[in-house]
Amino acid sequence: MAYDVVVIGSGPGGYVCAIKAAQLGLKVAVVEKNATFGGTCLNIGCIPSKALLHASEMLAEAQHSFDALGVEVGTPKMNLKKMMAHKDATVAANVTGVSFLFKKNKIESFQGTGKVLGAGKVGVTGADGKSQEIETKNIVIATGSDVAGIPGVDVAFDEKVIISSTGGLSLEKVPGHLVVVGGGVIGLELGSVWARLGAKVTVVEYLDSILGGMDGDVAKQFQRMLAKQGFEFKLGSKVTGVAKAKKGATVTFEPVKGGAAETIEADVVLVATGRKPYTEGLGLKEAGVEMDERGRVKTDGHLRTNVAGIYAIGDVVAGPMLAHKAEDEGVAVAEITAGQAGHVNYDVIPGVVYTSPEVASVGKTEEELKKAGIAYKAGKFPFTANGRARAMLHTDGFVKVLADKDSDKVLGVHIVGFGAGEMIHEAAVLMEFGGSSEDLGRTCHAHPTMSEAVKEAALATFFKPIHM
Ligand SMILES: Cc1cc2nc3c(=O)[nH]c(=O)nc-3n(C[C@H](O)[C@H](O)[C@H](O)COP(=O)(O)OP(=O)(O)OC[C@H]3O[C@@H](n4cnc5c(N)ncnc54)[C@H](O)[C@@H]3O)c2cc1C
């Protein structure tokens, strides 16, 4: 056998799996069809979007907050070309970082499209059409996901006027009116970027709320905050057509509950309705690998497919389509192939929306607890009562802690507020250890920090907050 593990796909699932397996002493190769490593996340996802979110947030801060802080910088101006250059440089640094880590860990790479030829055999076809076969004890499918489109609607993406998230990361000018189809994380993040840079943003969403699946309380408050920033929302609206017009495009939608259709004009339409697993050309059917009803590779609790020696991780399998979930699954599979007990705790996977303010959550929402019939108590604390938040003019939002009514074990934490994406991790660690709201509330927190609001929300859960 030439290799112990061959990973197909070098996104956060695949590259982390490869590195971990190599660290555990296995002989590892990665097959990647793109010119660069890092997958969706590093090339056209998490990393470039965060570069643009940060840059545009700095502009908005300079425009709207500096004066109140006594900082006078004249009229801040956007330089879109420089912003895009910053984004491109950030991507380049990250993808070359993965190449460096592959070399450091003696991981071999094959550039080309990988195909599963059966247990222990992977075919690789390069851009020149030449194919080769590699033998391995274990195969890890980490081929990720692709843009989903709108069910039942023919969307002709040109990535200039009718765009997916990929086009939304590279527009050459700020659209006058950006219509975003889909009020999920990606739509709201990219909508925020272009709204801060001057676009009017309208979000058309099928559900009655944005951020479907997140805590209802959080989603409602967050929608109000975005509305204050100028976002317009058409909720409970089913998009039935996206068409290119002489100038820009049109989006037609009708109320989900029934009623007259409406058509709005846009300079650019961003379709952000989710992603679908990517398994094209992988030869899974021929290799006998089972898929589920949604086209995802079917795996058991140990990320094994039905074919011995073939595993699958990340966006191509069930679960939240998040980079860190893919990474943790990559680590688990590497450990399993090395004879260890790899494991992912799906109950403690944080989710973050990197807008302003940020939204972050881990564990169960109130809606999920109600549905499951679990008796719970909730404690809430607003950032308006937090000293550090006042000092930074970031008083929007709150922390909510949900704990089991009898045992006080923390079941979920939800935060809307500046820096929520960093604060959520103390809740994640607490929950990994099965901690209670009293554990969290009795843990000394540095003053003055935004994190004190997490402590206060915990105090509010098992007794009373001090500062309210
Ligand atoms: C705009 C945007 C923003 C996002 N922001 C965040 C965020 O902030 N945080 C977060 O957690 N998640 C975010 N995500 C989601 C995140 O990018 C994905 O969850 C993550 O990339 C999934 O990792 P993966 O390893 O499963 O697959 P991917 O990252 O999709 O990587 C799959 C790789 O496999 C390769 N491949 C596919 N088929 C083959 C084949 N046959 N042979 C060889 N190679 C192949 C692909 O070229 C690709 O490089 C974002 C996504 C988008 C689109």
Side-chain angles (χ1 to χ4, degrees):
M1 286 279 169
Y3 295 99
D4 295 309
V5 179
V6 169
V7 184
I8 308 178
S10 71
Y15 87 74
V16 168
C17 180
I19 292 170
K20 187 72 185 186
Q23 286 174 342
L24 292 170
L26 302 181
K27 191 164 161 43
V28 184
V30 172
V31 184
E32 172 55 60
K33 69 181 172 64
N34 273 357
T36 52
F37 298 127
T40 305
C41 175
L42 270 58
N43 290 282
I44 50 165
C46 327
I47 295 299
S49 60
K50 267 76 253 178
L52 292 181
L53 277 157
H54 178 72
S56 59
E57 187 174 340
M58 291 301 98
L59 178 72
E61 281 265 301
Q63 285 169 333
H64 306 301
S65 304
F66 276 15
D67 191 55
L69 293 170
V71 181
E72 293 179 358
V73 290
T75 308
K77 276 194 307 204
M78 165 193 69
N79 183 330
L80 189 56
K81 258 199 175 154
K82 259 194 178 168
M83 241 179 226
M84 290 295 170
H86 161 65
K87 175 209 69 177
D88 293 339
T90 310
V91 168
N94 279 276
V95 300
T96 48
V98 175
S99 302
F100 165 79
L101 291 172
F102 279 0
K103 280 196 196 102
K104 185 182 166 198
N105 289 286
K106 301 192 172 44
I107 295 164
E108 286 180 48
S109 57
F110 293 85
Q111 210 197 333
T113 302
K115 187 170 179 174
V116 179
L117 301 174
K121 263 197 192 125
V122 173
V124 184
T125 308
D128 55 5
K130 283 191 189 139
S131 295
Q132 58 181 315
E133 256 182 56
I134 30 183
E135 292 200 353
T136 173
K137 284 185 194 147
N138 300 287
I139 298 171
V140 182
I141 299 163
T143 49
S145 61
D146 197 6
V147 170
I150 309 171
V153 179
D154 189 20
V155 182
F157 289 103
D158 63 3
E159 298 300 354
K160 294 221 172 320
V161 174
I162 300 177
I163 62 173
S164 67
S165 55
T166 306
L169 294 165
S170 298
L171 291 178
E172 281 164 12
K173 66 175 200 202
V174 181
H177 185 203
L178 174 70
V179 173
V180 181
V181 181
V185 179
I186 293 176
L188 298 178
E189 286 188 355
L190 287 178
S192 288
V193 167
W194 295 106
R196 290 171 192 157
L197 299 184
K200 171 182 160 46
V201 175
T202 305
V203 177
V204 186
E205 164 60 48
Y206 185 90
L207 299 175
D208 286 329
S209 71
I210 57 169
L211 293 181
M214 278 224 176
D215 191 88
D217 209 8
V218 166
K220 241 184 254 151
Q221 172 125 350
F222 183 55
Q223 189 190 330
R224 268 186 239 125
M225 291 169 177
L226 290 179
K228 260 211 246 154
Q229 292 170 26
F231 273 63
E232 203 175 303
F233 292 98
K234 306 273 184 188
L235 301 182
S237 300
K238 181 183 172 190
V239 170
T240 54
V242 177
K244 232 172 154 176
K246 245 192 197 153
K247 193 188 153 288
T250 58
V251 177
T252 305
F253 52 92
E254 58 192 34
V256 172
K257 290 182 182 134
E262 196 181 324
T263 297
I264 49 176
E265 288 173 4
D267 296 289
V268 172
V269 180
L270 165 64
V271 177
T273 42
R275 298 178 63 83
K276 58 177 187 218
Y278 185 80
T279 54
E280 227 175 272
L282 257 181
L284 295 185
K285 208 170 160 202
E286 298 85 325
V289 176
E290 276 178 26
M291 316 285 276
D292 70 12
E293 67 297 341
R294 290 169 63 181
R296 301 174 295 201
V297 180
K298 221 171 167 178
T299 53
D300 65 8
H302 302 281
L303 300 153
R304 293 181 295 219
T305 70
N306 61 310
V307 179
I310 303 183
Y311 298 81
I313 56 173
D315 279 11
V316 82
V317 303
M321 286 181 156
L322 292 170
H324 41 285
K325 176 260 195 186
E327 287 183 36
D328 282 11
E329 288 180 339
V331 168
V333 165
E335 289 173 339
I336 291 167
T337 54
Q340 300 183 355
H343 169 73
V344 177
N345 180 4
Y346 291 98
D347 288 334
V348 185
I349 295 185
V352 179
V353 192
Y354 298 84
T355 42
S356 178
E358 289 183 346
V359 181
S361 79
V362 61
K364 299 275 184 264
T365 63
E366 271 202 78
E367 290 75 16
E368 284 171 335
L369 292 175
K370 276 182 194 145
K371 202 170 161 204
I374 296 169
Y376 66 94
K377 51 192 177 178
K380 222 167 146 177
F381 192 81
F383 286 109
T384 43
N386 175 280
R388 183 70 184 279
R390 284 194 203 118
M392 298 193 299
L393 299 181
H394 281 300
T395 51
D396 273 349
F398 61 84
V399 180
K400 180 159 93 174
V401 174
L402 303 170
D404 186 275
K405 194 159 188 242
D406 300 320
S407 69
D408 191 34
K409 184 177 171 183
V410 172
L411 303 173
V413 175
H414 307 275
I415 309 175
V416 195
F418 181 80
E422 301 294 338
M423 281 184 275
I424 198 68
H425 295 103
E426 67 166 304
V429 173
L430 179 96
M431 288 170 69
E432 275 294 345
F433 285 85
S436 65
S437 74
E438 186 167 353
D439 290 328
L440 190 51
R442 288 188 186 278
T443 301
C444 189
H445 282 61
H447 174 77
T449 56
M450 297 287 281
S451 298
E452 285 174 291
V454 178
K455 172 184 172 149
E456 291 272 11
L459 289 175
T461 310
F462 78 91
F463 185 54
K464 285 176 185 176
I466 300 289
H467 293 92
M468 221 175 60

